Structure formats: structure tokens, C-alpha cells
Amino acid sequence: MTTEANPVFARGDRPGGPLDHLVGSVQTRQIGSLRVHAIQAGGQRLDGGAMFGVVPKPLWERRIPADDRNRIQLGMRCLLIEHAIGLVLIDTGVGNKENEKFCDIYGIENTGHQGPTWLEDGLASLGKRPEDLAMVIDSHLHFDHAGGNTTRGADGVIRPTFPNARYIMQRREHEWATHTNERTAASYFPHNWEPVAASGQMELIDGDREIIAGIHSVLTPGHTPGHQGLLIESDGERAFYLADLAPTTAHLPLPWIMGYDVEPMVTLETKRRILTRAVDEQWLLVFEHDAKTPWSPIILDGKGFGLPK
Ligand SMILES: [Zn+2]
């Protein structure tokens, strides 16, 4: 990774830069009385076939073109919420602990200017430091969602990135991540959560609940059995952080399900249930891996679920 590839952080869109494929490093809006920021924690490139499961390439490449290694450009978007308890962060990107070969295979571009990764740069652009965070919520523990939970310091020691935060994870996801098999192990690295457990900052929760006022966990199984989305509610407005239930806007059609999902038929039913609620209750959906679109409401028309025209 070269430093030239890194963006200069500023609020709002950042058109025309060397990483124009990742629009906007930090975008800000209100959900009711809560101020929320979408922070682009980095770019990654994953195999287009794996990202769209049974959907043939001639269809998916019209939505997101593939590079010469058949990979598509994705982002790793975290959500920072200014809450009465303090700053709350949903997901943490991939972090700084993986080696060069790993970053090449997955096309990871996230080296920071002001901190270890783009995530810390995004926080800095908002005038915030990792020490300021009160809570981190992991949608699940895959490396591109929970990798930024911990940081390798200049001394080589791996520590929690956010020393004053409680880290909230689903117990079922933690079980799954700590009991891997040949198909699931490549996505789970214990250094992304073990230092958090060791420091006493990890809190495991079970299923759907109000974590703090206005922020609810919603179990959304399929991608993994313990995968959760986060529903944010304030003054009658609602936003939903989908994580890997629908990683990009191209994944809104029900059968466009990732090959990575461990229970794709469960994903299908979870998507049907959640996207139906999103339309009925006019949720703003947050797309974690979409390189361009951070958030949008959705509609249901004759063709199925999609973005408003
Ligand atoms: Zn995942």
C-alpha cells in the first residue's frame, strides 16, 4: 500500500481524488435528534462471484464492474452516533494488523495519515479521538467488520483501539467465531476480540434488545447465525445498519445473496422480513460495503426492493 493512495480527509463528498471509487470519507446527517456520521474506514476488493452468490456475472457486472482479478470495489463504512452516553461506533473496519499479502489479496486500502487507519482519520476530521468513544457495537466478528476493534502499536503489542469503550457483541456470534470449521475460519481472527475480552471491555448480549436508548440490536441471521443489524430510532425517525444482510445497494433484490453466507436460505427470509419493515416504516438503510452510497430509503415496486427512482 502506498501513501499516495490515501485520501485527504474532509467532511462531505470527495470527488475527483485518487480514490474516487470510494465516495466521501465522512458524511453527516440527523436521525431525529441524533447526529450520525458515516465514516469510510477503507476500501477492499472481494471476488465479484463470491459477493453475488448464484447471480451470473453478466448481471452483477452491470451493477458493479470487476477488476482484472474479478474483484469488485467495496467500502467498509462505520457509523458514529453522537449519543447522550457519549460516542457510539458501529463496526470498526479491518484495522492495521494484517500483512501485506493479505492486504493485496483483499485489495485493502486503509492506511491512515493521522492514525493507524482511515477510521482514526475520519474520527480526527470530526475532532474526535479513539479515547472519546463510550461504546463499540460489532454487527459480527468477520475481519472486515471487527478488525479495527484492536490496533497493533509501534511496540508490536495488540490492544483495544478504544480504551474507554464497552464493546458489545452477540453471544451467538462470539460462539461461532470461537468455534470455527474449515469453511468459516478464514474470516475470524482472534486478535480482533481476544484483547478486548482480556481488558474486561467485552459485553456479550443475547438477541434483540435495546442496547441503549434509541439503539436496538436486531438479530439478522443468515450471513452468520449471530449476525445483528442495528436499529436507530429518535423522534419518530429510524435508520437501520444492515451490515452484511445487504452489503451494497446492489444486494437489495432478494435473491442477490452473498456466496459467503453460511445459511443463504435463512438470509433470504431475514431479508424479506427486514426490507419489508424498512419500506413499511420508512427506514433509512445504511450500506456498509457500498463504495458510493452510504444510506438511502428503499421502495418496493413490481420489480422488488430497490432504491427510489
Ligand atoms: Zn461478514
Side-chain angles (χ1 to χ4, degrees):
M1 287 184 290
T2 64
T3 48
E4 297 82 58
N6 296 324
V8 174
F9 273 83
R11 289 184 201 210
D13 290 354
R14 184 183 41 78
L19 276 181
D20 197 27
H21 51 275
L22 295 172
V23 172
S25 49
V26 178
Q27 284 143 318
T28 298
R29 64 172 292 153
Q30 292 289 130
I31 307 295
S33 59
L34 294 174
R35 197 163 179 74
V36 302
H37 310 275
I39 301 178
Q40 187 57 274
Q44 70 170 339
R45 288 167 178 258
L46 295 179
D47 184 87
M51 281 301 290
F52 290 107
V54 298
V55 179
K57 185 173 182 181
L59 295 184
W60 62 251
E61 74 177 347
R62 274 191 236 152
R63 308 293 299 274
I64 309 181
D67 69 10
D68 56 4
R69 292 157 77 177
N70 206 47
R71 302 173 306 177
I72 60 169
Q73 182 64 57
L74 299 164
M76 291 182 280
R77 187 173 287 105
C78 310
L79 200 67
L80 184 73
I81 303 158
E82 298 188 27
H83 191 275
I85 70 149
L87 294 174
V88 176
L89 182 67
I90 303 176
D91 278 0
T92 61
V94 74
N96 75 338
K97 304 181 299 296
E98 309 315 329
N99 64 29
E100 218 168 297
K101 184 179 170 202
F102 178 95
C103 291
D104 175 60
I105 289 171
Y106 294 105
I108 288 166
E109 300 170 90
N110 76 336
T111 304
H113 280 313
Q114 300 173 51
T117 75
W118 293 16
L119 175 56
E120 289 83 1
D121 282 6
L123 289 171
S125 78
L126 295 164
K128 315 293 186 192
R129 303 166 307 155
E131 293 79 5
D132 299 334
L133 267 71
M135 180 177 283
V136 172
I137 305 172
D138 290 318
S139 64
H140 62 304
L141 294 173
H142 282 167
F143 63 75
D144 52 334
H145 297 255
N149 282 355
T150 60
T151 298
R152 190 191 306 280
D155 56 3
V157 177
I158 298 173
R159 301 180 181 84
T161 307
F162 308 101
N164 302 313
R166 298 155 58 195
Y167 284 68
I168 311 295
M169 305 168 193
Q170 283 287 338
R171 187 183 314 278
R172 193 158 183 203
E173 176 65 15
H174 184 261
E175 274 291 305
W176 188 258
T178 51
H179 297 82
T180 54
N181 59 34
E182 293 81 354
R183 181 157 184 271
T184 63
S187 300
Y188 288 116
F189 307 144
H191 63 195
N192 291 334
W193 62 83
E194 281 182 351
V196 178
S199 69
Q201 290 171 265
M202 178 189 287
E203 286 182 30
L204 300 178
I205 63 170
D206 294 295
D208 295 9
R209 54 172 270 193
E210 187 170 49
I211 299 171
I212 48 175
I215 302 183
H216 297 255
S217 62
V218 180
L219 207 60
T220 46
H223 181 64
T224 68
H227 183 276
Q228 66 178 344
L230 283 310
L231 181 62
I232 300 143
E233 243 181 319
S234 173
D235 294 342
E237 291 186 7
R238 291 172 178 179
F240 192 79
Y241 189 86
L242 291 158
D244 276 343
L245 178 61
T248 76
T249 56
H251 289 84
L252 286 171
L254 289 177
W256 292 49
I257 290 170
M258 288 192 281
Y260 298 111
D261 288 19
V262 297
E263 297 175 304
M265 297 307 151
V266 176
T267 302
L268 178 67
E269 296 314 318
T270 302
K271 262 176 96 174
R272 194 192 312 277
R273 175 167 53 86
I274 293 293
L275 297 187
T276 300
R277 271 188 81 185
V279 171
D280 290 348
E281 301 177 16
Q282 297 177 310
W283 294 354
L284 181 82
L285 296 182
V286 183
F287 298 96
E288 181 163 12
H289 287 302
D290 200 293
K292 294 176 180 164
T293 305
W295 39 41
S296 178
I298 60 166
I299 58 163
L300 176 62
D301 63 16
K303 292 183 184 160
F305 293 103
L307 295 177
K309 302 289 180 291

